[in-house]
Amino acid sequence: NLIKKIMEQAKTPLSVLHRALELESIGSDEFRSKSLWRPFRARGVFGGQVIGQALASASKTVDSKFQLHSLHCYFVDRGDPSTPIEYFVSRIRDGKSFVSRFVRAIQSGRVIFALMTSFTINDPTTLLKFQCNMPEVPHPDSLPNTEDQYRSLLSSDRINDQMKNLIEKRLSQPFPIEMKFCEGDPLITRKQHLFPRQQIWMRTRGQLSDDPRAHDCVVAYFSDYSLLITTILPFGYPNENLVMIASLDHAMWFHTSFRADEWMLYDMESSVASEGRG
């Protein structure tokens, strides 16, 4: 019974998320992944997981009084889910107000990913504060859960065998982040020539600790999910003419504190697609 209980706990969304971002120390400022995930139909490791693990590696070398404020990264080569990724952190600068770290992700002797990130001490007394208005979108409580929509589709006669197989594969790899699409999941709606914008409510499937570093890494993890799909919406999705899509670079700014286990609106818009990039 104890073994069964442990196995059941290991399958919970938060346990899956914890393992996805968990690292082991292998030396001074050196870390190794414990698990890697390749999404269905993907060429390599999920990019968001590599971002999250690289950020977690950098965070482990920074004093807790500093808060993350930005990251910039490049995907150099695809990751192999069967081989651990090793993260090597370089301490670029340790200042009184800012700390900078550079992380190389190496797999089988080659660099597959590079991240530059910066931490700072927030100043709550600053008068320079403003934020754009929140977009007018449906409240998450009024929107259906993506997985529930998938299951509903499977029991209908609106999809062909190929689409049914795709949805079954998606459901067999449960994502540890709860998502609600404001305009509907394009995989479900299958509308053509859409404006390249997506608005998705996201949060973890369960409560996280109060450690802000954990929330940073989780948001970095799910920031790469569905982002590329936004760019190809004008061409229709799914699109059989698209043989491969992959992340090339990624940037994020963190302006204030937040909780990744509370609803956050991910507002994505693509301004251009050309020369095979968008």
mmCIF file of all heavy atoms in Angstrom, residues 7-23:
data_model
loop_
_atom_site.group_PDB
_atom_site.id
_atom_site.type_symbol
_atom_site.label_atom_id
_atom_site.label_comp_id
_atom_site.label_asym_id
_atom_site.label_seq_id
_atom_site.Cartn_x
_atom_site.Cartn_y
_atom_site.Cartn_z
ATOM 1 N N MET A 7 3.701 5.811 -5.618
ATOM 2 C CA MET A 7 3.567 5.853 -7.066
ATOM 3 C C MET A 7 2.465 6.820 -7.488
ATOM 4 O O MET A 7 2.594 7.546 -8.478
ATOM 5 C CB MET A 7 3.269 4.453 -7.617
ATOM 6 C CG MET A 7 4.425 3.477 -7.460
ATOM 7 S SD MET A 7 5.909 3.986 -8.372
ATOM 8 C CE MET A 7 5.320 3.750 -10.061
ATOM 9 N N GLU A 8 1.369 6.828 -6.742
ATOM 10 C CA GLU A 8 0.269 7.746 -7.056
ATOM 11 C C GLU A 8 0.689 9.195 -6.855
ATOM 12 O O GLU A 8 0.369 10.069 -7.657
ATOM 13 C CB GLU A 8 -0.947 7.421 -6.187
ATOM 14 C CG GLU A 8 -1.632 6.109 -6.557
ATOM 15 C CD GLU A 8 -2.764 5.759 -5.610
ATOM 16 O OE1 GLU A 8 -2.862 6.431 -4.539
ATOM 17 O OE2 GLU A 8 -3.532 4.834 -5.905
ATOM 18 N N GLN A 9 1.445 9.462 -5.781
ATOM 19 C CA GLN A 9 1.918 10.811 -5.522
ATOM 20 C C GLN A 9 2.900 11.259 -6.593
ATOM 21 O O GLN A 9 2.941 12.436 -6.956
ATOM 22 C CB GLN A 9 2.580 10.885 -4.141
ATOM 23 C CG GLN A 9 1.604 10.743 -2.984
ATOM 24 C CD GLN A 9 2.306 10.718 -1.645
ATOM 25 O OE1 GLN A 9 3.509 10.458 -1.554
ATOM 26 N NE2 GLN A 9 1.557 10.989 -0.579
ATOM 27 N N ALA A 10 3.671 10.328 -7.124
ATOM 28 C CA ALA A 10 4.666 10.657 -8.152
ATOM 29 C C ALA A 10 4.011 11.094 -9.460
ATOM 30 O O ALA A 10 4.649 11.715 -10.305
ATOM 31 C CB ALA A 10 5.574 9.460 -8.405
ATOM 32 N N LYS A 11 2.726 10.750 -9.623
ATOM 33 C CA LYS A 11 2.017 11.082 -10.854
ATOM 34 C C LYS A 11 1.220 12.378 -10.740
ATOM 35 O O LYS A 11 0.598 12.807 -11.706
ATOM 36 C CB LYS A 11 1.078 9.928 -11.235
ATOM 37 C CG LYS A 11 1.803 8.634 -11.590
ATOM 38 C CD LYS A 11 0.811 7.533 -11.907
ATOM 39 C CE LYS A 11 1.523 6.217 -12.221
ATOM 40 N NZ LYS A 11 0.551 5.121 -12.497
ATOM 41 N N THR A 12 1.200 12.996 -9.563
ATOM 42 C CA THR A 12 0.450 14.232 -9.415
ATOM 43 C C THR A 12 1.106 15.331 -10.235
ATOM 44 O O THR A 12 2.326 15.312 -10.437
ATOM 45 C CB THR A 12 0.379 14.663 -7.940
ATOM 46 O OG1 THR A 12 1.702 14.971 -7.482
ATOM 47 C CG2 THR A 12 -0.230 13.577 -7.084
ATOM 48 N N PRO A 13 0.322 16.313 -10.730
ATOM 49 C CA PRO A 13 0.889 17.385 -11.566
ATOM 50 C C PRO A 13 2.051 18.124 -10.908
ATOM 51 O O PRO A 13 3.057 18.401 -11.567
ATOM 52 C CB PRO A 13 -0.310 18.305 -11.784
ATOM 53 C CG PRO A 13 -1.498 17.411 -11.684
ATOM 54 C CD PRO A 13 -1.136 16.406 -10.631
ATOM 55 N N LEU A 14 1.935 18.433 -9.604
ATOM 56 C CA LEU A 14 3.016 19.152 -8.937
ATOM 57 C C LEU A 14 4.275 18.297 -8.822
ATOM 58 O O LEU A 14 5.392 18.805 -8.914
ATOM 59 C CB LEU A 14 2.573 19.627 -7.552
ATOM 60 C CG LEU A 14 1.685 20.879 -7.520
ATOM 61 C CD1 LEU A 14 1.433 21.305 -6.080
ATOM 62 C CD2 LEU A 14 2.307 22.024 -8.304
ATOM 63 N N SER A 15 4.102 16.995 -8.632
ATOM 64 C CA SER A 15 5.256 16.101 -8.580
ATOM 65 C C SER A 15 5.947 16.042 -9.932
ATOM 66 O O SER A 15 7.180 16.051 -10.022
ATOM 67 C CB SER A 15 4.829 14.695 -8.155
ATOM 68 O OG SER A 15 4.305 14.702 -6.845
ATOM 69 N N VAL A 16 5.152 16.006 -11.005
ATOM 70 C CA VAL A 16 5.707 16.007 -12.358
ATOM 71 C C VAL A 16 6.476 17.298 -12.607
ATOM 72 O O VAL A 16 7.584 17.299 -13.167
ATOM 73 C CB VAL A 16 4.571 15.856 -13.403
ATOM 74 C CG1 VAL A 16 5.104 16.082 -14.815
ATOM 75 C CG2 VAL A 16 3.925 14.481 -13.285
ATOM 76 N N LEU A 17 5.898 18.413 -12.170
ATOM 77 C CA LEU A 17 6.548 19.715 -12.349
ATOM 78 C C LEU A 17 7.832 19.801 -11.522
ATOM 79 O O LEU A 17 8.858 20.315 -12.001
ATOM 80 C CB LEU A 17 5.579 20.828 -11.945
ATOM 81 C CG LEU A 17 6.038 22.266 -12.192
ATOM 82 C CD1 LEU A 17 6.324 22.498 -13.669
ATOM 83 C CD2 LEU A 17 4.973 23.241 -11.701
ATOM 84 N N HIS A 18 7.782 19.291 -10.297
ATOM 85 C CA HIS A 18 8.967 19.309 -9.437
ATOM 86 C C HIS A 18 10.103 18.519 -10.079
ATOM 87 O O HIS A 18 11.254 18.980 -10.116
ATOM 88 C CB HIS A 18 8.626 18.733 -8.063
ATOM 89 C CG HIS A 18 9.823 18.591 -7.157
ATOM 90 N ND1 HIS A 18 10.430 19.659 -6.552
ATOM 91 C CD2 HIS A 18 10.525 17.487 -6.784
ATOM 92 C CE1 HIS A 18 11.466 19.235 -5.835
ATOM 93 N NE2 HIS A 18 11.531 17.915 -5.950
ATOM 94 N N ARG A 19 9.801 17.338 -10.600
ATOM 95 C CA ARG A 19 10.838 16.521 -11.242
ATOM 96 C C ARG A 19 11.367 17.194 -12.498
ATOM 97 O O ARG A 19 12.550 17.071 -12.825
ATOM 98 C CB ARG A 19 10.276 15.139 -11.580
ATOM 99 C CG ARG A 19 10.044 14.242 -10.373
ATOM 100 C CD ARG A 19 9.918 12.779 -10.790
ATOM 101 N NE ARG A 19 8.874 12.581 -11.776
ATOM 102 C CZ ARG A 19 7.591 12.426 -11.500
ATOM 103 N NH1 ARG A 19 7.192 12.449 -10.232
ATOM 104 N NH2 ARG A 19 6.699 12.231 -12.448
ATOM 105 N N ALA A 20 10.500 17.904 -13.201
ATOM 106 C CA ALA A 20 10.912 18.564 -14.446
ATOM 107 C C ALA A 20 11.959 19.637 -14.205
ATOM 108 O O ALA A 20 12.790 19.918 -15.068
ATOM 109 C CB ALA A 20 9.693 19.169 -15.145
ATOM 110 N N LEU A 21 11.923 20.261 -13.011
ATOM 111 C CA LEU A 21 12.841 21.356 -12.706
ATOM 112 C C LEU A 21 13.927 20.963 -11.705
ATOM 113 O O LEU A 21 14.788 21.779 -11.369
ATOM 114 C CB LEU A 21 12.053 22.554 -12.169
ATOM 115 C CG LEU A 21 11.044 23.165 -13.145
ATOM 116 C CD1 LEU A 21 10.202 24.220 -12.453
ATOM 117 C CD2 LEU A 21 11.754 23.762 -14.357
ATOM 118 N N GLU A 22 13.892 19.712 -11.238
ATOM 119 C CA GLU A 22 14.838 19.258 -10.216
ATOM 120 C C GLU A 22 16.236 19.057 -10.805
ATOM 121 O O GLU A 22 16.393 18.563 -11.933
ATOM 122 C CB GLU A 22 14.337 17.948 -9.605
ATOM 123 C CG GLU A 22 15.089 17.531 -8.366
ATOM 124 C CD GLU A 22 14.496 16.282 -7.736
ATOM 125 O OE1 GLU A 22 13.688 15.597 -8.398
ATOM 126 O OE2 GLU A 22 14.847 15.993 -6.575
ATOM 127 N N LEU A 23 17.243 19.450 -10.040
ATOM 128 C CA LEU A 23 18.638 19.337 -10.468
ATOM 129 C C LEU A 23 19.467 18.675 -9.374
ATOM 130 O O LEU A 23 19.111 18.714 -8.197
ATOM 131 C CB LEU A 23 19.223 20.723 -10.756
ATOM 132 C CG LEU A 23 18.543 21.570 -11.834
ATOM 133 C CD1 LEU A 23 19.008 23.016 -11.721
ATOM 134 C CD2 LEU A 23 18.825 21.016 -13.211
#
